[in-house]
Amino acid sequence: MRIFLSRPDITDKEIASVVEVLRSPNLSLGPRLTEFEQALTRYLGRRRAVAVNSGTSGLFLSLLALGIGQGDEVITTPFSFVASATSIMMTGAKPVFVDIDPVSLNLRPDRIEAAITPRTRAILPVEVFGNPAGFDEICRIAERHHLPVVEDSCEALGSALNGKKAGTFGKLSAFGFYPNKQITTGEGGAILTDDEALADLCVSLRNQGRSSGDQWLLHERLGYNFRLSDINCALGLAQLARIDEIKARRSRVARWYQEMLADEVRLIVPTTPPGGDISWFVFVVRLADSVGCEHRDRLLEEMRRQKIQVSNYFPPIHLQPFIAERYGHGPGDFPACENAARRTVALPFHAHLTEDDVAFVCGVLRGILDTALR
Ligand SMILES: *Cc1c(COP(=O)(O)O)cnc(C)c1O
């Protein structure tokens, strides 16, 4: 590949922070864990953060802490990374999908109420591609029905809607720090909440069900190992210290794409919603509805042949074979999701891209469209 889809933004500061931990006696449950959690609470303005070993673990523990399990239903979006649904399934609960808004690609607020049943225990919305659109409305509906929101903010660190940050909408909110996210810990994640009791429960669940006391081999409840090492936390701390700079660099790349593709009527280019501030996670364009969706896969293939790494974020979750089979879903169940999923092209997107790289990608993209649509 000549241009990669994503790349972490790591400086000598991150490297020095990690090396410092390696020279210390505390590789896990040490001082960096607490510091990373405190830095997250400060950045997001929430009372508590619980660092865990992945964003998926963060969602799973959030649901477990709410007591969600067998026989329960959780409303979520079919247009997301699979973890937003599998975290529900791993608790024993059922993901109940609701179609998306065709513009924001987020859960459609006006379709949520029809999906609520006596078994509904929570709503799990996702800021897809970092876009917080609709989250105010989703929270209003949840409140009206006394349902907690578990916010999958794994793609949205640094985004905000009307000044309210992504990761502050949910009763519990989960972030992920995989290397393609805005900041990375290698692998890792965190739960953010203002509820002390839920946070304490998550702390216990991530650490083998231990109590907060100092009895290492006393296990109060069924937990597991979802801990994040101090090595990862040190990396996360150095990254979070640079979040404004990282966000700005990524915004600059997004702006280049927006400017260079502004006149391209064959594509839908992502924009920021009214009142929104997007911390760009990926840059996903879509074939316009006037263009046959059969061109998408050929376009992906041709871009890869020209050494540009691209992806098809996201195939519909309800059509993943094991999920379709378990819940009896099929094509046509969520048309807006399926239409979007057939048309997306995730372009290379990271802080190291230069204006020339973006121009090259846009040139190749236009060339393929010219040839295919002639
Ligand atoms: C990245 C991501 C997650 C969590 O991913 P991990 O790899 O487990 O950290 C969850 N949901 C969404 C929507 C994501 O993009």
Side-chain angles (χ1 to χ4, degrees), residues 54-56 59 80-81 83-84 126 152 154-155 176-178 181 187-188 281:
S54 74
T56 309
L59 291 169
S80 177
F81 180 58
S84 48
V126 183
D152 181 344
C154 287
E155 303 189 352
F177 306 125
Y178 187 74
K181 310 285 187 189
E187 292 280 1
F281 164 55

Side-chain angles (χ1 to χ4, degrees), residues 47-249:
R47 288 163 82 104
R48 295 284 297 274
V50 181
V52 289
N53 59 1
S54 74
T56 309
S57 300
L59 291 169
F60 178 57
L61 288 193
S62 297
L63 294 161
L64 285 187
L66 290 170
I68 290 167
Q70 201 73 43
D72 296 333
E73 294 177 356
V74 177
I75 292 172
T76 190
T77 168
F79 189 74
S80 177
F81 180 58
V82 73
S84 48
T86 52
S87 58
I88 298 168
M89 294 169 71
M90 287 296 270
T91 70
K94 178 186 175 185
V96 172
F97 299 108
V98 166
D99 209 355
I100 60 168
D101 178 282
V103 176
S104 73
L105 309 183
N106 285 344
L107 202 53
R108 239 185 100 148
D110 64 352
R111 296 284 173 87
I112 290 174
E113 277 179 321
I116 296 174
T117 75
R119 292 172 183 266
T120 307
R121 294 289 312 278
I123 302 175
L124 192 154
V126 183
E127 285 112 353
V128 174
F129 307 150
N131 187 344
F135 270 63
D136 40 4
E137 261 185 273
I138 292 168
C139 289
R140 270 201 299 277
I141 293 161
E143 208 169 311
R144 196 178 321 139
H145 292 269
H146 309 289
L147 290 169
V149 168
V150 175
E151 181 186 4
D152 181 344
S153 28
C154 287
E155 303 189 352
L157 184 71
S159 292
L161 184 63
N162 300 318
K164 188 171 164 62
K165 278 190 170 140
T168 65
F169 287 96
K171 178 112 184 148
L172 302 122
S173 306
F175 286 99
F177 306 125
Y178 187 74
N180 70 338
K181 310 285 187 189
Q182 288 89 341
I183 72 163
T184 186
T185 58
E187 292 280 1
I191 301 158
L192 274 291
T193 183
D194 295 324
D195 187 309
E196 299 280 352
L198 286 174
D200 288 343
L201 194 47
C202 290
V203 168
S204 172
L205 291 170
R206 89 168 160 196
N207 190 15
Q208 308 282 15
R210 289 186 168 97
S211 63
S212 53
D214 51 11
Q215 278 184 282
W216 186 248
L217 293 180
L218 181 65
H219 304 273
E220 274 192 331
R221 58 178 61 80
L222 177 63
Y224 211 65
N225 183 352
F226 296 105
R227 295 186 303 259
L228 187 65
S229 86
D230 270 42
I231 304 167
N232 303 90
C233 290
L235 178 51
L237 268 167
Q239 288 262 279
L240 192 57
R242 295 179 48 239
I243 181 74
D244 292 339
E245 173 203 334
I246 290 173
K247 190 177 149 183
R249 289 181 70 182

